[in-house]
Amino acid sequence: MPLIGYARVSTEDQTPLPQSQALKSAGCVEIHEEQASGGNRARPVLARVLERIGKGDTLVVVRIDRLARSLSHLLEVIERLEAKNAFFRSLTDPIDTSSPQGKFTLQVLGAAAEFERALIRERTKAGLASARTKGRVGGNPGLRARDPAALRKVRLARQDDYMERLNETAQDWVPHVRRLRPDMAWEDVLRIVNGPLPRERRWTQSRLLRAVNAYVRDGFLPETVLARAGRRETDDRLPAIVAAIKGADPDITLQAICTRLEAMRERTPRGRTSWQPSSVKMLLERAERLGLLG
């Protein structure tokens, strides 16, 4: 079972060399290095690693904080790995999801996070109930009075909360949007984004457009991604989709592309639901002739 190493540093003056050496000593067959803030979930290198990792592979880090700075992000990454029947291991923490002990530790962490959320909810309810018995009305006085400053503060807080939730999923869709728009129609971009995602995490087109608009507004994506897509011949659509999948993962196999297309419910040029590597190879050759492969 291949061990895939991931090393991260926060600033340019830091070096990932000590992490890479530790990962190499642990037996990692390949090591991916990234310079990015731990609080930023939209990391392109990590996104590519999670996209390419396969069944039976193990993602290895030196410490948990090299992968995630919050429990919710850690559990999200491990959930993505488990969906691919892959594993996670931290060299200096007692987590190895390929072992019963590591799975137990992860379950304890998840239970602790849920327990903390439940305590916060109960404290909030108790505080509101106590205030009502004393004749105090809950809520923000400024909001009750429709004060413009209070309303603006709440609106900004909601925007911040929305952006925080978007950042948790950015690695699923930002790289695809940045690479494919406006050359590809939103319907096809959506299918490519949703292809590797479990059903409960898939996007609708309206949600994706709202997220993209928010990222463009805050400068995380260029305005060009919202430009109108150019017209494409019907016969060029499948080569463009196959080229997009190949562009996201240059090392992806023909069979893996077949699996992705079937998950996207794309039909073959002859209208079949089952794809063969020979069909994908033909489309890749056509995509190359059309100049769709970088």
Side-chain angles (χ1 to χ4, degrees):
M1 293 186 292
L3 303 181
I4 312 298
Y6 174 74
R8 181 188 64 79
V9 294
S10 299
T11 60
E12 293 182 355
D13 59 347
Q14 296 175 323
T15 173
L17 183 59
Q19 295 179 55
S20 296
Q21 290 175 337
L23 293 168
K24 184 177 181 180
S25 299
C28 292
V29 295
E30 57 181 271
I31 298 171
H32 302 268
E33 299 177 349
E34 183 161 38
Q35 187 264 307
S37 167
N40 179 15
R41 300 193 182 189
R43 301 179 224 154
V45 175
L46 178 59
R48 287 197 297 270
V49 172
L50 294 176
E51 176 77 14
R52 293 171 53 185
I53 204 162
K55 181 179 180 180
D57 293 348
T58 299
L59 178 64
V60 184
V61 296
V62 174
R63 297 190 312 274
I64 288 178
D65 66 352
R66 297 302 87 198
L67 176 67
R69 296 296 292 272
S70 68
L71 181 57
S72 63
H73 188 203
L74 174 64
L75 295 175
E76 176 189 325
V77 171
I78 294 177
E79 180 183 346
R80 291 189 63 181
L81 293 173
E82 288 181 339
K84 293 189 171 187
N85 292 316
F87 307 103
F88 170 73
R89 180 188 304 172
S90 173
L91 298 181
T92 57
D93 302 289
I95 295 183
D96 181 352
T97 60
S98 64
S99 70
Q101 295 88 346
K103 288 184 178 179
F104 175 74
T105 301
L106 187 62
Q107 290 170 353
V108 171
L109 287 173
E114 179 57 34
F115 180 64
E116 182 181 12
R117 288 191 292 268
L119 284 179
I120 292 173
R121 287 194 297 267
E122 290 302 318
R123 291 195 194 104
T124 301
K125 291 179 182 178
L128 291 173
S130 175
R132 283 194 293 269
T133 60
K134 297 176 182 178
R136 295 199 299 268
V137 179
N140 188 314
L143 292 181
R144 293 200 303 272
R146 309 298 294 175
D147 178 65
L151 292 172
R152 180 175 180 276
K153 186 175 181 180
V154 170
R155 184 173 63 254
L156 292 175
R158 287 176 177 171
Q159 289 178 357
D160 288 344
D161 180 65
Y162 176 63
M163 292 302 294
E164 184 176 345
R165 286 185 280 116
L166 278 187
N167 291 339
E168 294 176 358
T169 62
Q171 60 189 6
D172 292 338
W173 55 275
V174 169
H176 295 297
V177 170
R178 191 186 299 276
R179 190 180 71 257
L180 302 178
R181 288 290 305 166
D183 296 326
M184 185 173 287
W186 282 112
E187 301 85 45
D188 292 327
V189 174
L190 180 68
R191 294 162 80 86
I192 292 171
V193 168
N194 284 337
L197 297 179
R199 183 174 300 275
E200 64 274 9
R201 288 177 52 200
R202 290 178 183 171
W203 295 74
T204 63
Q205 186 168 324
S206 60
R207 282 185 58 225
L208 181 61
L209 285 172
R210 182 189 176 199
V212 171
N213 274 283
Y215 262 46
V216 169
R217 181 195 65 217
D218 285 3
F220 297 131
L221 283 171
E223 292 186 7
T224 52
V225 300
L226 294 173
R228 186 172 182 177
R231 296 188 62 180
R232 188 182 296 278
E233 297 295 331
T234 304
D235 291 344
D236 294 346
R237 180 177 171 276
L238 280 176
I241 290 176
V242 172
I245 296 173
K246 181 73 172 177
D249 183 0
D251 297 327
I252 193 171
T253 64
L254 295 177
Q255 186 59 56
I257 295 178
C258 290
T259 303
R260 182 69 58 79
L261 290 169
E262 290 171 2
M264 293 166 58
R265 299 180 182 273
E266 285 289 347
R267 291 185 175 270
T268 69
R270 296 186 178 181
R272 297 172 181 169
T273 57
S274 179
W275 283 81
Q276 299 297 324
S278 58
S279 298
V280 172
K281 183 179 179 181
M282 177 189 68
L283 290 173
L284 284 174
E285 291 171 352
R286 178 170 175 77
E288 189 169 8
R289 290 195 299 270
L290 292 170
L292 301 175
L293 290 173

